[in-house]
Amino acid sequence: MAEPLLSIRDLHTHFDTKAGIVKAVNGVSFDVAPGEILGLVGESGSGKSITGFSILGLIQQPGRIVGGSIRFAGEELVGAETTRLRQLRGRDIAMIFQDPMMTLNPVLRIDTQIVEAILAHENVGRAVALGRARDALAKVGIPSPEERLKAYPHQFSGGMRQRVAIAIALLHRPRLIICDEPTTALDVTIQAQIIHEMRLLCQEQGTALIWITHDLAVVDSLADRLCVMYAGRIVEQGPAGAVIAEPAHPYTRGLIDSIPSRNSRGARLKQIPGMAPSPLALPAGCPFRPRCSYADDACLNEPSSIGVGAGRDARCVHPLVARVPA
Amino acid sequence: MTAAMHARSTADVTPIVEVRAISKRFTRKPDLAERIAGALGARVDLRTVHAVDDVDLAILPGEVVGLVGESGCGKSTLGRMIAGILPKSGGEFFHEGVESAAWTPLQRHAAVLAVQMIFQDPMSSLNPRKKVRDIIGEAAVVHGMTSRAAQGDYVADLMRKVGLDPAYMRRYPHQFSGGQRQRIGIARALAVKPRFLVCDEAVAALDVSIQAQVLNLFMDLRQEFNLTYLFISHDLGVVEHLSDRVAIMYLGRIVEMAPTEALYAAPNHPYTKALLEEVPRIGAGKRTFAPVRGEIPSPVAPPPGCHFHPRCPFAMDRCKTVRPVLRAIGSGRWSACHLNDAT
């Protein structure tokens, strides 16, 4: 692989709570190449969103990054100055959230918000900025952008609001966009429109994407590579097609089997028994052990990452595909 | 077409619930200024939302009907009317072949208990200040399914059936996970021995692995209690997995209805086609979407004629003026599209 745009090594993000330390992100490592679409998949509480927030330095008290390294274009972001992070945020790395109502200020017009975002990083006149704002809205497919600039967020539908959020994220042609469940709140027809346009826009600008989602079907139709997270760890990663077709980790297998599909009609779904463990009381060894049908005594020791094919690895003692030394 | 449907349903079995030309309109209440203006003879324009617009649907005993549509299409409103928790604005509602206006008090009681509802968000549909024992058992005691003394055993039995440990009977809803709360909601619905469950996005808020567990539970309960379901969802994969028959709604109307296999194999209505093409499917690999343009129009001012015509790639002049009726296009298949008129 060429020089990665983003390189995360052994990232640990912990939250100090009254009940104990929650290890939300517990030793995560992955790379994102320039222009690559990486799907970060996991269920609620797996740490996928916290990983995204950690990259942008958006972890707030009582959370903190306790260890590891996040290198963006060769620059270390863990422990970087707040002023430096502010320069990067929005210009080089942008983020799109699940609920665009959260990103947009409800009492400011759209033009005010977009112009503010432009002026935060560039020294241009207000008229120029307004023109760029209009172009940005037009690019994400908002009809009559000139008029819509004067509207408030509540006057947009959910899909349109998400387009505004995407327009703002794309303003400075960032090299990396982190999308946290950007289409989860949207209807299928609108989801298809957004995915379609995001992919075109990113291809055009060579932007890399980290697409955080719980929906394997969405990343399967979108991502180049896939990271599956469970209890704060990446349990499997590799090229999306290979991982979906032939998962190596029993958890990934279980997730895929849990999705109702054309072939499962009328039959019982193969369910994963039990539920995700509390992050305060993770079982010793492999965190998936209590729900795994392959688990034995060997799983009592924390499994390390092993190679299971070209560009693939899994954290499992009993991988479902043959081991290939990396 | 109402007559045709009626003939079909009476020929076979009496539907457990049937609605004919049912509608629901929501009108904003006039504020003080508007009431004064109205009293003085001015014309006050109160906008009406046609959430459900002349819908016919018959649900036969033992079947699972999926009701699919995007947000704002009226699927939840229709489900709530069928569950009897939202009064209708027009049309007829039959339970076991008897229209609601003709119900005797006894029939009304039976009709209300026979249909129970399961909601999307179990946290907002379970009283946070009540113990699980009371949440599940209260209605059963009130309706005489069990006595106050035997409530504990009755609830324990139900909890085991939905896969909960009866030892947790004295806990409060917040002490459970999302999947467990949904199981409490299911046990509560089952407590009054219903024949028909309306599930409104019942698995939408759950993680995939938990969703699979709850879907399996629904299928097991169907066997055990001989239940009928109306399964309301925006998730086409879930509906395909569970349903015998699927109805697709768009802006207050049913646009297509067909047995599940037939619908997914060969959708007839352009909207159904668009929906099915845009569902991301696992195992399909990377692909490009060819999204349908535009968004669902506002139900306050729906487009005239066919509601889908502004987004439809096949729209003709007639679609802009004439409302297409739901017509039979094959065995058990119905579609409301002018494209079928020629054939």
Side-chain angles (χ1 to χ4, degrees):
Chain A
M1 196 173 10
E3 177 72 12
L5 177 68
L6 179 79
S7 175
I8 298 183
R9 286 291 168 272
D10 202 28
L11 178 71
H12 290 263
T13 305
H14 292 180
F15 287 79
D16 298 315
T17 67
K18 275 181 192 154
I21 295 173
V22 173
K23 296 174 179 171
V25 178
N26 197 0
V28 161
S29 307
F30 63 86
D31 292 331
V32 183
E36 184 182 44
I37 302 180
L38 177 83
L40 193 56
V41 185
E43 296 185 281
S44 7
S46 60
K48 56 192 192 303
S49 292
I50 299 300
T51 305
F53 290 149
S54 301
I55 297 169
L56 277 175
L58 292 175
I59 300 294
Q60 287 186 322
Q61 285 296 331
R64 63 204 159 89
I65 297 175
V66 295
S69 132
I70 303 172
R71 297 186 76 81
F72 175 74
E75 185 181 353
E76 179 61 53
L77 298 187
V78 173
E81 291 289 329
T82 322
T83 46
R84 177 64 191 140
L85 283 174
R86 287 192 69 138
Q87 284 173 356
L88 286 173
R89 275 186 219 136
R91 197 185 69 195
D92 297 302
I93 312 175
M95 187 150 184
I96 298 168
F97 299 86
Q98 174 172 357
D99 182 4
M101 218 46 200
M102 228 171 78
T103 11
L104 298 174
N105 188 331
V107 298
L108 293 180
R109 291 197 326 221
I110 297 297
D111 57 354
T112 320
Q113 303 194 39
I114 301 184
V115 167
E116 188 182 18
I118 295 173
L119 298 182
H121 294 290
E122 274 176 74
N123 196 7
V124 291
R126 216 187 127 69
V128 179
L130 257 180
R132 296 238 327 245
R134 192 187 52 235
D135 296 344
L137 287 192
K139 200 160 71 174
V140 294
I142 292 180
S144 48
E146 192 81 42
E147 293 160 39
R148 298 305 265 166
L149 272 177
K150 301 272 179 293
Y152 288 90
H154 74 267
Q155 293 169 308
F156 288 83
S157 68
M160 283 296 164
R161 274 203 286 269
Q162 197 58 284
R163 282 167 204 261
V164 174
I166 291 169
I168 294 177
L170 290 170
L171 276 178
H172 299 285
R173 298 179 160 258
R175 282 184 280 176
L176 174 68
I177 302 181
I178 302 167
C179 307
D180 189 3
E181 307 254 10
T183 59
T184 307
L186 305 176
D187 283 315
V188 270
T189 56
I190 309 299
Q191 167 173 293
Q193 291 172 0
I194 299 274
I195 292 179
H196 177 72
E197 277 155 31
M198 271 310 270
R199 191 155 53 187
L200 281 185
L201 293 170
C202 291
Q203 262 168 14
E204 224 171 74
Q205 306 192 352
T207 309
L209 278 183
I210 298 180
W211 194 279
I212 301 173
T213 182
H214 69 278
D215 192 338
L216 266 174
V218 167
V219 286
D220 184 27
S221 54
L222 178 76
D224 302 313
R225 274 192 327 121
L226 213 59
C227 291
V228 181
M229 282 192 80
Y230 187 77
R233 294 171 179 84
I234 289 180
V235 294
E236 174 161 11
Q237 60 178 312
V243 172
I244 301 272
E246 233 189 347
H249 198 284
Y251 176 64
T252 318
R253 172 87 266 167
L255 268 189
I256 293 171
D257 287 342
S258 296
I259 299 172
S261 75
R262 197 153 280 184
N263 313 324
S264 71
R265 217 178 108 57
R268 280 180 66 87
L269 290 168
K270 281 185 219 146
Q271 61 189 40
I272 306 177
M275 50 189 170
S278 157
L280 284 167
L282 287 180
C286 172
F288 188 59
R289 180 172 53 86
R291 304 175 74 185
C292 181
S293 55
Y294 301 90
D296 58 23
D297 287 349
C299 304
L300 284 167
N301 300 316
E302 169 127 19
S304 52
S305 212
I306 53 161
V308 288
R312 295 185 60 181
D313 50 58
R315 264 178 199 273
C316 184
V317 184
H318 308 291
L320 304 177
V321 297
R323 288 172 195 238
V324 179
Chain B
M1 96 94 206
T2 317
M5 232 178 137
H6 184 207
R8 187 184 68 94
S9 55
T10 44
D12 312 311
V13 222
T14 316
I16 188 161
V17 165
E18 181 175 3
V19 292
R20 284 188 213 153
I22 203 168
S23 356
K24 182 71 198 177
R25 294 180 289 272
F26 293 102
T27 310
R28 187 167 56 88
K29 282 214 179 80
D31 60 20
L32 181 65
E34 284 163 338
R35 264 179 300 177
I36 292 171
L40 294 175
R43 222 182 122 262
V44 179
D45 180 31
L46 290 178
R47 296 191 299 178
T48 305
V49 175
H50 291 265
V52 175
D53 188 10
D54 272 350
V55 166
D56 298 81
L57 185 64
I59 295 152
L60 303 175
E63 77 173 338
V64 178
V65 177
L67 186 59
V68 182
E70 297 181 275
S71 31
C73 74
K75 57 187 192 299
S76 290
T77 308
L78 179 61
R80 278 162 194 250
M81 284 196 289
I82 287 174
I85 58 173
L86 196 66
K88 59 189 190 320
S89 320
E92 294 174 297
F93 182 99
F94 296 84
H95 176 72
E96 307 278 353
V98 186
E99 214 281 319
S100 59
W103 283 347
T104 63
L106 217 60
Q107 279 173 329
R108 176 173 305 276
H109 191 248
V112 169
L113 278 189
V115 188
Q116 291 295 317
M117 189 149 180
I118 293 163
F119 300 89
Q120 170 171 5
D121 179 6
M123 204 56 214
S124 57
S125 58
L126 301 177
N127 187 334
R129 316 185 86 185
K130 281 198 166 163
K131 290 176 179 159
V132 169
R133 175 192 151 96
D134 295 317
I135 289 173
I136 298 175
E138 190 179 33
V141 171
V142 169
H143 291 290
M145 312 285 174
T146 180
S147 65
R148 179 77 58 194
Q151 186 186 346
D153 292 336
Y154 190 79
V155 171
D157 190 41
L158 279 167
M159 287 180 77
R160 270 190 289 271
K161 288 222 163 73
V162 299
L164 287 169
D165 185 348
Y168 297 154
M169 202 187 285
R170 287 189 174 71
R171 291 198 180 179
Y172 290 93
H174 74 264
Q175 293 168 296
F176 292 88
S177 71
Q180 288 174 319
R181 274 184 221 137
Q182 200 54 286
R183 288 172 195 265
I184 297 171
I186 296 167
R188 175 180 63 178
L190 290 175
V192 292
K193 302 195 162 68
R195 297 183 53 207
F196 181 24
L197 288 182
V198 176
C199 309
D200 187 1
E201 299 277 11
V203 295
L206 306 176
D207 272 322
V208 205
S209 69
I210 308 298
Q211 173 179 297
Q213 294 174 0
V214 174
L215 286 177
N216 281 341
L217 175 64
F218 276 129
M219 293 182 81
D220 296 344
L221 294 172
R222 179 191 184 188
Q223 298 280 321
E224 189 173 350
F225 296 101
N226 195 20
L227 288 170
T228 305
Y229 289 107
L230 177 66
F231 208 88
I232 302 169
S233 182
H234 69 280
D235 188 329
L236 283 152
V238 168
V239 166
E240 180 181 20
H241 176 72
L242 218 60
S243 314
D244 303 318
R245 210 147 60 87
V246 178
I248 310 277
M249 265 186 103
Y250 189 75
L251 218 61
R253 298 172 183 167
I254 289 182
V255 295
E256 182 165 6
M257 189 155 59
T260 309
E261 275 98 354
L263 184 104
Y264 282 79
N268 176 274
H269 198 281
Y271 178 62
T272 317
K273 283 182 192 157
L275 269 187
L276 288 178
E277 271 163 24
E278 280 161 36
V279 181
R281 282 188 176 276
I282 191 139
K286 264 172 100 172
R287 65 196 187 90
T288 47
F289 290 90
V292 54
R293 300 177 62 80
E295 299 192 0
I296 192 163
S298 158
V300 175
C306 174
H307 284 169
F308 188 59
H309 85 255
R311 303 173 74 186
C312 181
F314 310 107
M316 310 174 283
D317 282 346
R318 189 150 42 120
C319 305
K320 293 171 187 154
T321 49
V322 186
R323 170 180 175 174
V325 291
L326 196 60
R327 297 194 309 139
I329 53 158
S331 85
R333 299 201 55 171
W334 305 74
S335 176
C337 182
H338 286 310
L339 290 173
N340 297 321
D341 292 355
T343 56

